[in-house]
Amino acid sequence: MLIPITRQKFEQVVPILATGPQYAYYWGKFRDFLKRLSISVVAVVIILILGLLLGPGFNGIRLLLWIITGLYWWWGPIYWATMRNLQMRRYKYSGFWRGRVLDVFISEELIGTEETVNKRGELMIVENRERRINLEVGDNQGFTTLLQAPLSRNQKGIAAGQIAEMLVMSNQADLERIAQTSDIYLPRLDLWVSDYPHLRREDFVQVSQQLSRSRDRGNREERVARRRRY
């Protein structure tokens, strides 16, 4: 099932500014924080050097630049999440999609490498791998897509045949060609599967419930009309 939704509903579900879960995603781990902090420190030092070179004429803007760059460790996640949200909102058309889980399997993916030195002084490259869940969903129109996300314990109940819902985006009004998909919601488990939390999830669930009620009401009216004809 694919139901086009209005731009108003789309913008209700897909935020512009970073939400709490999106901020947490880009905040990352402690090493990510240290990386942003080091960028802030280097930027502040560069501005200090520029101030010494350019003299008093640079004083007016120096304080502002210090504040902006010095707090990059804090506002960086907001910026990157907002940029990602804007990238998703650039699509002109969107729709509510409902299908079923076709397959679910686990894979081990390379997420990065680190260089280290062993006891003999030799340079070693350590691969960082992560177990991830792969969720394939599709509908009776032939559309399928595969989403990969970090593995967690609450995903044990996922099985083929379960209903899956998500938002789909396109630049075509008829949504014939899907350009991007969102997080996947499994209503039976009340579970989200995603790598990045694109949506305001409570709002998406409300839209899902509204569309389901509208569809059920339409089906009842159709059955009543058929009885009257017979």
Side-chain angles (χ1 to χ4, degrees):
M1 179 180 74
L2 178 58
I3 302 175
I5 62 174
T6 64
R7 187 69 189 182
Q8 182 180 3
K9 281 194 178 295
F10 174 72
E11 293 179 352
Q12 174 188 345
V13 175
V14 180
I16 296 179
L17 297 178
T19 62
Q22 291 172 348
Y23 184 87
Y25 176 90
Y26 274 105
W27 180 268
K29 299 180 180 179
F30 184 66
R31 65 172 178 268
D32 300 311
F33 164 72
L34 289 180
K35 186 182 297 183
R36 291 195 305 274
L37 184 61
S38 63
I39 292 174
S40 292
V41 171
V42 170
V44 168
V45 172
I46 291 174
I47 293 170
L48 177 61
I49 295 173
L50 287 175
L52 295 175
L53 294 176
L54 298 177
F58 188 66
N59 290 342
I61 195 174
R62 180 169 58 183
L63 179 60
L64 177 61
L65 292 177
W66 266 346
I67 294 174
I68 294 174
T69 57
L71 292 177
Y72 172 74
W73 61 269
W74 174 76
W75 61 259
I78 299 176
Y79 172 80
W80 293 114
T82 300
M83 289 298 101
R84 189 160 181 174
N85 292 344
L86 290 174
Q87 185 179 15
M88 190 171 185
R89 288 167 67 103
R90 76 181 189 272
Y91 295 105
K92 298 178 181 179
Y93 307 101
S94 59
F96 173 85
W97 180 91
R98 176 180 289 165
R100 292 191 179 273
V101 175
L102 301 180
D103 192 15
V104 54
F105 58 94
I106 308 301
S107 63
E108 193 173 82
E109 304 294 332
L110 178 66
I111 60 173
T113 59
E114 293 181 2
E115 293 183 351
T116 185
V117 178
N118 62 17
K119 294 180 180 180
R120 293 179 292 181
E122 298 172 338
L123 181 65
M124 303 287 292
I125 297 178
V126 179
E127 294 184 343
N128 295 324
R129 294 186 175 272
E130 180 182 64
R131 298 187 71 200
R132 298 175 72 86
I133 187 171
N134 296 263
L135 189 64
E136 184 181 11
V137 298
D139 57 22
N140 54 14
Q141 302 299 318
F143 172 77
T144 62
T145 187
L146 181 69
L147 183 145
Q148 191 178 84
L151 185 65
S152 63
R153 292 182 179 180
N154 58 2
Q155 297 165 345
K156 290 183 178 180
I158 300 176
Q162 293 174 346
I163 291 176
E165 299 175 345
M166 62 182 175
L167 207 64
V168 297
M169 280 68 67
S170 176
N171 284 321
Q172 297 181 355
D174 58 4
L175 301 177
E176 183 68 24
R177 178 174 295 179
I178 303 301
Q180 186 170 345
T181 60
S182 71
D183 331 22
I184 294 177
Y185 178 60
L186 305 175
R188 181 179 177 183
L189 303 176
D190 190 23
L191 176 67
W192 288 89
V193 180
S194 68
D195 181 37
Y196 175 76
H198 289 97
L199 308 178
R200 288 193 182 102
R201 294 178 171 181
E202 292 182 359
D203 291 339
F204 178 88
V205 172
Q206 289 179 1
V207 171
S208 170
Q209 293 171 348
Q210 290 171 2
L211 292 174
S212 295
R213 286 194 294 266
S214 298
R215 188 187 184 197
D216 292 342
R217 185 164 55 249
N219 290 338
R220 286 196 300 269
E221 292 174 354
E222 185 178 350
R223 287 195 296 269
V224 170
R226 286 178 180 175
R227 293 194 193 102
R228 288 175 178 173
R229 286 198 297 268
Y230 291 113

